[in-house]
Amino acid sequence: MRAYKLTFAALAVTAGLSLTACQNDVDGKGPSSPSPASTGSSASPSGSVPGSGGSANRSGGKGAGGKGTTAGTGSGTTGKVARCRTDELETTAKDGTIDGDPDGTVTVRLENRGGRDCAISGYAGVDLKTDSGSLSAKRTGEHANPAVLKNGASTAFGINYPLNKSGGSGVRVTGLLVTPPNETKTVALAWPGAATLPVTDGTGTPVKVGPVGNAGQGG
């Protein structure tokens, strides 16, 4: 009886050791088996980024696209180019009237001599000096397109004024004052147009100025 009990106890111990060994063997393989799966799972998103446009790729692409857009915007508009200064512009005026026109035209040309590209847009300030005082030109209301004026390049605008056909002495024009768009410094020029303007009671055709980039007739 004692021998049977010892044999039974020995079998129990052996079975316990075998079970423990099996469990250890399974446990030993268990962590290594999920590990490749886990590694593959973390590698899969990064590996699929270039082709799938994953979040990392979208972030990188968006950043690159943002820079491209900014560069494009800078090159297509005047946002990254400083405006043209009065001292950088060589300003000249000439008669641009064409025979048969009902009104006279003076073309004012602005040439970039600043040694750099500059942005210019809008209307210049224009005043005619006369023997009766200063006369400010009115804007035509035409749309003004922004532009980058390359170094050495020029742009122009037109001044339209009524011709004195009354036969009288009229109002004598003695000079022209031009202030480039968005500037405060004025350039004084000789008036190249007709010597006089008709005397009006305020109902006549006013002196008008067009936007920079529109030279007007004869420009």
Side-chain angles (χ1 to χ4, degrees), residues 34-158:
S35 178
S38 175
T39 304
S41 175
S42 72
S44 177
S46 62
S48 65
V49 165
S52 66
S55 60
N57 187 48
R58 287 197 300 270
S59 175
K62 186 175 181 181
K67 291 180 181 179
T69 301
T70 302
T73 301
S75 64
T77 68
T78 60
K80 292 186 177 296
V81 181
R83 72 173 183 267
C84 299
R85 300 288 187 177
T86 302
D87 291 338
E88 297 175 321
L89 299 172
E90 182 178 340
T91 307
T92 57
K94 70 174 184 178
D95 184 14
T97 306
I98 298 175
D99 290 342
D101 286 348
D103 298 317
T105 301
V106 164
T107 301
V108 177
R109 188 164 298 278
L110 306 171
E111 183 175 353
N112 182 5
R113 294 286 186 148
R116 65 177 180 88
D117 297 350
C118 61
I120 191 164
S121 175
Y123 286 77
V126 171
D127 292 280
L128 272 62
K129 295 170 64 177
T130 76
D131 56 4
S132 298
S134 181
L135 177 63
S136 296
K138 295 183 179 181
R139 296 180 178 182
T140 60
E142 297 171 78
H143 178 69
N145 293 312
V148 173
L149 191 60
K150 298 292 185 180
N151 181 44
S154 62
T155 186
F157 64 88

